[in-house]
Amino acid sequence: MLITFSQAISLLRSGQVIAVPTETVYGLAACLDQPQAIEHIFTLKGRPKKNPLIIHLADWKDLSQFVTQYPPNFQALAQTFWPGAFTCILPVNSNVPSIARAALPTAGFRVPDLPLTRHLIKETGPLVMPSANLSGRPSATFPKHVEEDFGLEFPVLEGGTCSKGVESTILFYQEPEWVILRLGAVPPEAFKPILGYEPRVIQKSQENQENQPLCPGQLFRHYAPRARLILGDHPLLADATFVLGFKERPYPRGKRIILLGSLLEPEEVAKNLYQALRQLDQEGANQAWVDMDFPRHGLWQTIAERLIRAGETN
Ligand code: TXA
Ligand code: MG
């Protein structure tokens, strides 16, 4: 159910959870100072309590009330990438409620690039926002995706479609360097002019999962439609009826082709990605062949990672 800006403010202030647009994906929002609402987010999403949330600010200067220490180059990163699809993990004090950060000594912060979202946060104070999808499902990039997962009555602040379409890129300072904990809408090479190097991407297999994982969220199943995905990198199609592919490519006749976009425009593909995965479910697909024959630099790396995660069966 679409709600107005003033309804969004009063619902959030009264301790309710609502969906809020950002330039990356829709978020399920609660006020940082409403622990019961934060608790409710975990229940609604079916999200493990061990998976911490990102805190969204209207202005990065507001970090000072939470953060105990700033790593090298932090200020340059903040000035360059905020507002934007960059999330920074920083050491924090007890002003960040334990439930929001899964009892970790750090928390993730982001200043979203959508003016509507920042205006809202100015009225409500900092908001925690995981993506507005049931845990494990593709993220939501339209209000109707939120309604698919949480029902028609669920309050959604209308913000149209998300311009980026994939989540923020998460960075963490692991002495002596910044590393990427989650690929996202800002490609790894964008950080090079600021840091002097391209941050490494920490793969979930490189993490010691027994001890504290660096990015708990990466351990859980993600972005998956109900359909089984067959990831192919040459056009030898399996017997799947459905194909996720690109508009320049010819695919065999008789297949139901769901277009991700153009091979020349990774931004467009990122923007369409979750809609395409959700479309498979809308059409009742049991399995789909995914054309993985595309580049692996820049944003394509994020697109490949999301499709691979979406195809995991465990
Ligand atoms: O673009 C985005 O980041 C969206 C929009 C709504 O802002 N939000 C989003 O939130 O993707 P979520 O909850 O779906 O993903 C947050 C990720 C999880 O993988 C979580 O483990 C990680 O951030 N995270 C949060 N706090 C962390 C921390 N203190 N240390 C390591 N990872 C953290
Ligand atoms: Mg998510």
Side-chain angles (χ1 to χ4, degrees), residues 134-157:
L134 291 172
S135 204
R137 297 265 302 139
S139 305
T141 50
F142 286 96
K144 74 169 167 26
H145 296 164
V146 180
E147 292 177 353
E148 278 164 22
D149 282 14
F150 300 104
L152 292 174
E153 296 304 307
F154 195 82
V156 183
L157 176 63

Side-chain angles (χ1 to χ4, degrees), residues 2-217:
L2 296 180
I3 57 168
T4 63
F5 187 73
S6 58
Q7 286 172 319
I9 296 169
S10 56
L11 286 170
L12 285 166
R13 279 195 183 144
S14 69
Q16 305 234 29
V17 175
I18 66 165
V20 167
T22 81
E23 81 282 22
T24 59
V25 297
Y26 274 75
L28 218 49
C31 288
L32 185 65
D33 60 6
Q34 299 267 3
Q36 276 178 326
I38 300 178
E39 182 103 37
H40 192 42
I41 286 185
F42 286 92
T43 314
L44 274 170
K45 276 187 65 103
R47 181 180 177 106
K49 287 271 174 59
K50 282 189 198 158
N51 192 0
L53 306 174
I54 295 173
I55 300 163
H56 296 68
L57 303 173
D59 187 322
W60 67 269
K61 306 278 170 10
D62 299 339
L63 280 174
S64 57
Q65 54 191 306
F66 305 114
V67 174
T68 54
Q69 213 187 338
Y70 294 99
N73 293 117
F74 166 76
Q75 188 152 339
L77 288 170
Q79 273 164 350
T80 310
F81 295 104
W82 280 335
F86 157 60
T87 291
C88 195
I89 307 295
L90 295 164
V92 292
N93 59 32
S94 58
N95 289 341
V96 177
S98 176
I99 181 161
R101 56 188 155 88
L104 295 172
T106 55
F109 293 92
R110 175 164 111 77
V111 181
D113 194 23
L114 196 66
L116 175 75
T117 322
R118 291 201 306 280
H119 291 154
L120 180 69
I121 300 170
K122 276 197 189 118
E123 299 292 332
T124 59
L127 294 176
V128 292
M129 280 200 259
S131 49
N133 53 277
L134 291 172
S135 204
R137 297 265 302 139
S139 305
T141 50
F142 286 96
K144 74 169 167 26
H145 296 164
V146 180
E147 292 177 353
E148 278 164 22
D149 282 14
F150 300 104
L152 292 174
E153 296 304 307
F154 195 82
V156 183
L157 176 63
E158 164 73 286
T161 169
C162 302
S163 62
K164 299 287 181 194
V166 289
E167 295 85 347
S168 59
T169 304
I170 304 182
L171 259 70
F172 173 64
Y173 186 72
Q174 195 182 33
E175 182 77 44
E177 56 172 0
W178 288 91
V179 292
I180 294 179
L181 297 187
R182 178 180 72 183
L183 287 161
V186 181
E189 46 269 52
F191 297 100
K192 194 170 175 185
I194 311 301
L195 300 176
Y197 56 91
E198 186 175 313
R200 272 185 311 128
V201 182
I202 303 279
Q203 307 290 346
K204 81 174 166 167
S205 57
Q206 290 169 336
E207 289 198 15
N208 181 347
Q209 300 182 8
E210 297 303 310
N211 297 327
Q212 220 169 51
L214 282 176
C215 188

Side-chain angles (χ1 to χ4, degrees), residues 241-271:
T241 318
F242 288 80
V243 171
L244 280 193
F246 300 97
K247 61 184 174 207
E248 293 85 356
R249 292 248 165 87
Y251 300 105
R253 289 156 70 93
K255 304 280 182 193
R256 165 73 178 113
I257 295 155
I258 296 176
L259 291 179
L260 291 165
S262 163
L263 284 161
L264 302 174
E265 288 179 61
E267 290 78 14
E268 180 196 5
V269 174
K271 197 171 160 176

